[in-house]
């Protein structure tokens, strides 16, 4: 293997594009593809090699990152026609950084092992801004020697990088993270709508809460956008719902009631029903606003 791993990226969406860009900026040779190839154009202009299929990415890479949507999508780009498995030579390391089912992740690890390549699950948290600024939290499942191999690349993508355990442990941790994300969002939404109902200055309220015990990532990053009525994604409600579904299915299987998560999921379902699934997950405040008819906006 060359001194510096050649890196591939499959999936150049909201997260994948800035992540690939950061690997490129850090000096890795990057080969990338995207289902909609036009989305790869900016990366080509910045020095990446753009190819048509995940198979070609694998042929040119030592490590391949997948950043697609859900379990069937990871399966398609990894094991489907023209997928990574078709181009992988022995020892290739496929790191899936999408958020998918821990069970599916373990099954993919077994299938990859049979075909002679290695896998890690390394889902992320920190949003689009975390991807752009290379400040992602990365939670890893898999074997320690593969984690060591991945580390120089992962360090160009994130700041908090933790090897949680064996295959699937990264995804299980990410689902726990999504519980906290959804319920924090709900807390911020209720706090701001209540403040609006009280008629107090919303910007001052946000500022002081963000400096105290009521603070959270959502209060710091999402509340300003909620108050400005800026609901473009970030992290789409449809994707948040995919994650909460994974959480609730896994919790049900383990007989663990999650009342807060169930409530957040139901409120997001109401937003999806009204056609809001493509908005950012911070649009949860709209569901709370509709219950009272009070909007929390600074205009
Ligand atoms: P996104 O903007 O919708 O990007 C998804 C990417 O996956 C697109 O490049 C899409 O290709 C590709 N894709 C989906 N299904 C595919 C398939 N079957 N075959 C080939 N390519 C496929 O989503 P994102 O926000 O970047 O999220 C990506 C993953 O990261 C998700 O698992 C999400 O849950 C997770 N995540 C997101 C955030 C966030 O804040 N956005 C934060 C943490 C984790 P096209 O361009 O052709 O559609």
């Amino acid at each position: 293997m060359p001194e510096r791993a050649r890196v591939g990226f499959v999936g150049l969406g909201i997260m994948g594009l800035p992540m690939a860009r950061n690997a490129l900026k850090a000096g890795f040779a990057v080969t990338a593809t995207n289902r909609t190839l036009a989305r790869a154009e900016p990366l080509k202009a910045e020095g990446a090699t753009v190819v048509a299929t995940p198979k070609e990415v694998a042929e040119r890479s030592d490590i391949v990152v997948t950043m697609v949507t859900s379990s069937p999508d990871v399966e398609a780009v990894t094991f489907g026609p023209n997928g990574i498995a078709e181009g992988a030579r022995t020892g290739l390391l496929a790191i899936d950084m999408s958020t998918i089912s821990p069970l599916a992740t373990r099954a993919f690890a077994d299938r990859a092992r049979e075909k002679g390549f290695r896998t890690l699950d390394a889902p992320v948290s920190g949003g689009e801004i975390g991807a752009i600024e290379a400040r992602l939290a990365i939670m890893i499942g898999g074997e320690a020697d593969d984690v060591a191999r991945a580390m120089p690349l992962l360090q160009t993508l994130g700041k908090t990088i933790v090897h949680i355990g064996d295959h699937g442990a990264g995804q299980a941790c990410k689902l726990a993270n999504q519980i906290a994300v959804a319920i924090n969002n709900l807390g911020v939404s209720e706090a701001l709508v209540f403040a609006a109902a009280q008629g107090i200055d919303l910007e001052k309220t946000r500022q002081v809460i963000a400096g105290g015990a009521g603070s959270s990532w959502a209060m710091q990053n999402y509340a300003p956008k909620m108050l400005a009525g800026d609901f473009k994604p970030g992290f789409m409600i449809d994707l948040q719902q995919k994650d909460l579904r994974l959480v609730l299915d896994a919790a049900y299987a383990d007989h663990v009631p999650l009342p807060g998560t169930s409530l957040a999921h139901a409120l997001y379902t109401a937003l999806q029903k009204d056609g809001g699934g493509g908005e950012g997950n911070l649009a949860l405040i709209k569901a709370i606003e509709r219950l009272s008819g009070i909007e929390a906006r600074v205009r």
Side-chain angles (χ1 to χ4, degrees):
M1 199 165 97
E3 206 173 280
R4 193 143 209 216
R6 296 166 305 157
V7 172
F9 278 85
V10 176
L12 302 171
I14 290 176
M15 298 296 281
L17 181 63
M19 290 163 67
R21 190 171 267 149
N22 285 333
L24 200 57
K25 276 193 216 150
F28 282 99
V30 171
T31 304
T33 195
N34 194 55
R35 180 175 57 186
T36 309
L37 260 182
R39 281 177 104 174
E41 284 304 317
L43 209 58
K44 196 173 181 177
E46 291 163 35
T49 303
V50 173
V51 294
T53 64
K55 175 187 175 187
E56 291 166 78
V57 172
E59 283 167 351
R60 294 165 155 269
S61 306
D62 305 303
I63 299 178
V64 178
V65 170
T66 48
M67 195 54 169
V68 293
T69 308
S70 60
S71 310
D73 305 309
V74 173
E75 182 170 27
V77 299
T78 309
F79 299 105
N82 286 314
I84 291 165
E86 288 186 9
R89 96 199 68 70
T90 303
L92 177 133
L93 178 59
I95 309 177
D96 179 36
M97 303 188 77
S98 331
T99 304
I100 70 165
S101 142
L103 271 180
T105 292
R106 287 183 206 115
F108 297 158
D110 290 342
R111 283 170 74 180
R113 195 177 301 113
E114 280 166 23
K115 290 188 179 291
F117 66 99
R118 328 261 319 163
T119 59
L120 291 175
D121 44 305
V124 305
S125 181
E128 182 186 19
I129 182 81
I132 291 170
E133 296 181 355
R135 284 194 288 105
L136 293 169
I138 305 178
M139 14 208 137
I140 312 176
E143 292 173 26
D145 48 347
D146 293 325
V147 177
R149 230 174 111 194
M151 210 43 106
L153 170 64
L154 297 180
Q155 282 164 342
T156 71
L157 309 179
K159 286 264 181 293
T160 307
I161 305 171
V162 182
H163 183 192
I164 306 292
D166 204 354
H167 295 288
Q171 294 294 355
C173 178
K174 170 68 185 183
L175 295 188
N177 177 81
Q178 293 309 74
I179 295 171
V181 166
I183 297 174
N184 271 308
N185 243 333
L186 184 54
V188 172
S189 299
E190 290 196 4
L192 295 180
V193 172
F194 172 81
Q198 291 289 308
I200 55 177
D201 185 298
L202 292 176
E203 181 46 33
K204 288 180 184 169
T205 301
R206 182 201 69 75
Q207 260 180 33
V208 74
I209 295 178
S215 189
S216 61
W217 191 96
M219 187 61 81
Q220 288 164 10
N221 292 278
Y222 279 169
K225 291 185 176 182
M226 290 171 171
L227 294 179
D230 174 4
F231 298 115
K232 64 176 181 297
F235 183 46
M236 268 179 276
I237 286 176
D238 286 342
L239 291 184
Q240 169 85 80
Q241 286 290 74
K242 167 209 40 132
D243 294 356
L244 296 183
R245 197 65 259 159
L246 290 171
V247 169
L248 292 172
D249 286 349
Y252 181 75
D254 288 340
H255 305 291
V256 179
L258 297 176
T261 309
S262 303
L263 175 58
H265 182 261
L267 292 167
Y268 278 120
T269 303
L271 294 172
Q272 287 178 305
K273 178 186 78 54
D274 291 343
E279 290 196 306
N281 62 341
L282 71 173
L284 183 57
I285 193 168
K286 288 186 184 178
I288 302 302
E289 289 171 343
R290 284 171 198 164
L291 292 173
S292 64
I294 293 169
E295 273 200 349
R297 294 286 176 284
V298 174
R299 306 224 183 249

